Amino acid sequence: MKKRLLSGIKPTGDIHIGNYFGAMRQFLDLQNEYESFIFIADYHALNQIQNPKEMAQYSMDIAKAYLAIGLDPKKVALFKQSDVPAVTELAWIFNCLTPMAELERAHAYKDAKAKSNPINMGLFDYPVLMAADILLYNSDVVPVGQDQKQHLEMAQDTAKKFNRIFGETFKVPQELILKDVGAIRGLDGRKMSKSYKNTIGLFDDEKTINKKSMCITTDCRRADEPKDIEACSVFSLHRLFSTEADIKKLEKQYCEGSISYKESKELLAEKINKFLNPIREKKAELDKNPKLVEKILKDGAEKAAAEAEKIMKEVKKKIGVA
Ligand code: TYM
């Protein structure tokens, strides 16, 4: 029997290459090896996106992105989180086992508090819903980017705690984080993130990519000055789109000062456009056929709901309500 993989992306803005290289590429690489459940985390997005049109649009775009990068709906159950409502039921059960002090240590909550941003219960409880996502399907592995590590640890703790109190029920899932990738940098050098508006979109057109590439923040070294490859966000993005030989050549040019930032950015834009072309084409096809995407999500939700039901039956028995 194949082991099980689960992951998700929240529809809070345009899907970007940070999502792709941190997480989605793993979904793609592992779809043959694992029985995969990959979803659109719309209930997670609700604490930010409170506009129905935007929610529907961003959700649909994530579904199209999953398909456009090459996930095969015959191998992967693709679905919307909200189409399997058992997840909120399990989140409630986990709420009753989770100390508030643990959630007060969560990064997203601490960041929002430090910035005096408004905090709703959805944000505070975010890691519990995420634990429910992961454990509801008895996942073995969860491929994510580095920024999700703490959430994964909380899901692991929740599984262990439930098992300790009520008897062995959940597998303790393993996170899959690509060490060599880390956090992909955005246009301003910070982590690429929908909330920082510093992203390179997976569906950006050629003109936008050319424009965005020229806007990547650099220091002000002249063309003939040696440049620092570690500090340079342009160089860090080149790594994602280059062969080993290409990156070695570029490294040499940076170190000896034989390439300007302008040239490096133009070269990067070329590589990104080449990479995005087939994804854009597939997306354009899917735009013409929204019914197909909806059908794929419906079928995925049916498969996911059937799995969820099995576990919920066991959970309810264990806690004494069934
Ligand atoms: P989200 O929507 O912020 O991001 C989706 C995935 O993309 C990865 N990622 C990055 N990786 C590297 N560099 C970056 N700059 C970068 N930005 C984003 C994220 O690590 C993530 O893997 N809480 C999750 C969604 C979620 C989920 C789950 C994931 C909800 N339930 C259950 C896995 C399992 C989130 O906000 O991802």
Side-chain angles (χ1 to χ4, degrees):
M1 250 199 7
K2 279 186 181 174
K3 287 196 169 182
R4 194 169 283 181
L5 174 154
L6 173 128
S7 197
I9 297 180
K10 61 180 191 292
T12 48
D14 292 334
I15 192 147
H16 55 76
I17 62 163
N19 300 135
Y20 181 84
F21 287 101
M24 297 167 87
R25 197 179 51 172
Q26 301 195 71
F27 309 166
L28 200 55
D29 291 346
L30 299 172
Q31 68 176 332
N32 292 322
E33 198 179 323
Y34 289 89
E35 184 191 13
S36 299
F37 291 79
I38 302 208
F39 67 98
I40 299 156
D42 48 2
Y43 276 160
H44 272 113
L46 187 62
N47 66 63
Q48 263 172 277
I49 302 296
Q50 299 181 349
N51 170 319
K53 270 199 185 131
E54 281 183 10
M55 178 67 91
Q57 178 66 46
Y58 290 145
S59 297
M60 200 57 176
D61 278 353
I62 293 184
K64 288 176 187 167
Y66 286 152
L67 295 167
I69 63 163
L71 290 182
D72 179 351
K74 290 195 201 81
K75 296 175 188 158
V76 182
L78 297 171
F79 62 102
K80 279 200 296 188
Q81 183 185 34
S82 59
D83 281 340
V84 187
V87 76
T88 54
E89 199 177 355
L90 187 59
W92 177 257
I93 294 168
F94 290 162
N95 268 333
C96 299
L97 309 182
T98 309
M100 258 176 77
E102 212 166 277
L103 294 176
E104 279 164 353
R105 283 194 290 274
H107 297 318
Y109 168 73
K110 276 180 24 188
D111 276 3
K113 201 167 164 219
K115 291 180 190 146
S116 302
N117 288 348
I119 297 166
N120 56 41
M121 283 305 293
L123 175 72
F124 186 64
D125 208 29
Y126 191 105
V128 175
L129 182 58
M130 190 156 156
D133 287 327
I134 296 169
L135 302 181
L136 186 60
Y137 303 99
N138 245 335
S139 324
D140 294 285
V141 296
V142 186
V144 282
Q146 202 182 42
D147 60 344
Q148 298 298 314
K149 189 169 171 45
Q150 190 191 41
H151 288 148
L152 259 295
E153 285 166 1
M154 291 170 101
Q156 290 158 348
D157 290 347
T158 304
K160 287 181 201 158
K161 189 165 194 181
F162 189 100
N163 291 348
R164 205 168 50 240
I165 299 173
F166 298 107
E168 204 59 28
T169 309
F170 294 109
K171 282 184 201 160
V172 179
Q174 207 47 54
E175 77 273 14
L176 296 181
I177 297 175
L178 297 171
K179 294 277 172 312
D180 55 329
V181 170
I184 312 291
R185 284 192 239 170
L187 303 177
D188 56 2
R190 291 186 291 172
K191 184 193 100 168
M192 188 174 289
S193 164
K194 291 165 241 179
S195 48
Y196 295 154
K197 303 202 181 328
N198 64 355
T199 61
I200 295 175
L202 211 54
F203 297 142
D204 280 349
D205 62 25
E206 198 168 325
K207 236 168 111 186
T208 308
I209 293 296
N210 294 343
K211 206 165 126 201
K212 282 188 177 175
S213 299
M214 296 321 282
C215 294
I216 301 170
T217 313
T218 56
D219 58 35
C220 45
R221 287 181 218 200
R222 289 189 321 266
D224 58 355
E225 279 183 272
K227 298 171 185 67
D228 182 350
I229 56 164
E230 295 310 328
C232 180
S233 300
V234 186
F235 191 89
S236 80
L237 290 166
H238 268 290
R239 284 190 199 277
L240 303 172
F241 300 96
S242 308
T243 61
E244 223 166 283
D246 280 347
I247 206 74
K248 281 228 165 80
K249 185 174 158 208
L250 190 67
E251 181 175 348
K252 189 162 172 281
Q253 290 173 303
Y254 261 64
C255 293
E256 63 192 22
S258 60
I259 186 165
S260 67
Y261 284 130
K262 182 168 173 286
E263 286 164 323
S264 176
K265 288 175 180 180
E266 283 167 354
L267 190 62
L268 177 67
E270 219 176 277
K271 288 182 197 165
I272 299 178
N273 279 319
K274 192 168 161 214
F275 169 80
L276 291 183
N277 264 337
I279 296 178
R280 291 176 185 136
E281 279 168 24
K282 190 83 211 285
K283 157 87 162 40
E285 273 173 40
L286 293 165
D287 283 342
K288 287 187 218 140
N289 201 349
K291 288 267 176 294
L292 171 72
V293 183
E294 280 161 22
K295 169 87 172 67
I296 288 169
L297 292 181
K298 189 170 164 278
D299 291 349
E302 267 169 28
K303 180 170 179 205
E307 286 308 315
E309 201 186 312
K310 287 187 214 158
I311 298 196
M312 285 310 289
K313 253 194 192 151
E314 193 183 339
V315 167
K316 284 184 175 175
K317 224 194 258 165
K318 290 266 170 69
I319 64 172
V321 300

